[in-house]
Amino acid sequence: LNDEFHRKEIQDQLEMSSFDGGILGHGWAKSGFTRKVDEAKTKAAGNINYDDMIEDESIHGKRVDPRNMWFDYNAPSKNLDTARYVIERYHKYFVDVVENTFYKSSVREKIADGYYKPTPKDSLNSVYRNTDNMAWYSQSDFWDYESECGIMYEVWDSKFNQVLYFMEGVPEPLQVIDNPYPYLKGKKFPYMKMDFIYRPNEFYGMGIPEFIEHQALELARHRTSAFDHRRRYSMRQMWIDENQIDPEEAEKVADPDYDYIFTQGPNAMGVIDDVPLPSDYAIIEAIIKQDILEFTGADNLARGQNLQSRATAKEVAVRTNILGLKLDQRIAAIDKMFLTMGKHLSAQIGRA
């Protein structure tokens, strides 16, 4: 297990999942054991397995994009332990799907013949491509549409203990198999989810950007107001009293680098002074930044800086305990994902 963790860089995959949790609020990982990698129907199709981690008769563990994961929204405890199903979305080339002997031949033939027209990946970007005249597959134009990807769904159903493979736009499953990992005791799915900041009665956790969203928006507005002020008042302008000096004469004596406006004033002309920023601008910005640091756990105590002079020893102790609890909670969530992956892979090795 230790050798495979290092050889397949599974720890790096779990670290990326942890980063997903800190950014998006929830990170996902998946374990598995591959008996035989997917093979193409014809030699001309070449290799259709592009994941170096997937090998014959070997375990694997990898990070899964949290934006492509869903689970049962009727789960009583709103977690994987009480969910009926888990869905993973990914993408595959159309030609690879047609060539993959793992999928039902009857469905692959309907896709190749154009009877089924799968939805292209481009549709996820709101640039839906017209597929009516697309040459889906033939040996002659095998590489013409290599860049065309379909939207795939892998559904793990714990009620019927099955795994179903779907392709968007195809009305029947590409394949339905029994759960290949029934020996994962206490775990119905080979997936694991880590919530960065737990939210009671919610399906997903909270990441740092969402946690400081209001403060970040306020800081952005504050900075925007400063730049708007600079653009508004950095223009060099002069005023000219048209009652005291003829406009044509004013243009001759006025600085060409200045814009000027006509108005009434005590003198014939003069420079319009810039309006300074409010005196409390820097103070407000410092308060917002301090709020962000405290919300993320990086207050003065955590950064080794001095606290305010009125801070008592008890307050320092309380702050230290709170900081320790925050760190313990984050570390425990990440440790749980590592340990779960280790248990899954240990079971896979033992079964193999």
Side-chain angles (χ1 to χ4, degrees), residues 290 293 297-305 323:
Q290 185 63 29
L293 291 174
D299 59 2
N300 290 341
L301 179 64
R303 291 180 291 151
Q305 297 182 358
L323 177 61

Side-chain angles (χ1 to χ4, degrees), residues 239-247 250 261-265 267-268:
W239 58 268
I240 297 174
D241 189 343
E242 57 186 349
N243 295 326
Q244 301 187 44
I245 184 173
D246 186 80
I261 61 174
F262 294 101
T263 183
Q264 295 181 355
N267 301 314

Side-chain angles (χ1 to χ4, degrees), residues 92-150:
K92 280 192 175 183
Y93 293 119
F94 291 132
V95 292
D96 288 349
V97 172
V98 172
E99 286 286 344
N100 196 335
T101 56
F102 171 73
Y103 302 129
K104 296 178 182 177
S105 59
S106 59
V107 181
R108 291 189 286 115
E109 290 173 0
K110 292 177 182 178
I111 297 174
D113 295 339
Y115 184 77
Y116 289 154
K117 292 182 170 57
T119 304
K121 177 184 175 182
D122 292 346
S123 64
L124 296 176
N125 301 324
S126 301
V127 186
Y128 189 82
R129 183 173 298 176
N130 184 3
T131 60
D132 291 340
N133 299 319
M134 180 176 288
W136 285 105
Y137 174 78
S138 69
Q139 286 297 125
S140 61
D141 58 10
F142 185 82
W143 299 108
D144 290 350
Y145 299 100
E146 183 190 11
S147 62
E148 300 299 333
C149 281

Side-chain angles (χ1 to χ4, degrees), residues 205-231:
M206 182 186 299
I208 294 175
E210 183 181 0
F211 195 54
I212 62 172
E213 179 181 7
H214 296 294
Q215 287 70 32
L217 287 174
E218 188 62 34
L219 182 60
R221 295 189 191 103
H222 197 62
R223 285 293 180 87
T224 301
S225 68
F227 285 108
D228 287 344
H229 181 279
R230 181 179 179 181
R231 284 193 295 266

Side-chain angles (χ1 to χ4, degrees), residues 28 31 47 73 94 156 222 258 260 287 293 338-339 348 352:
W28 290 74
S31 67
N47 179 27
Y73 275 12
F94 291 132
W156 291 72
H222 197 62
Y258 281 77
Y260 53 88
I287 292 174
L293 291 174
F338 273 77
L339 290 172
Q348 302 282 13

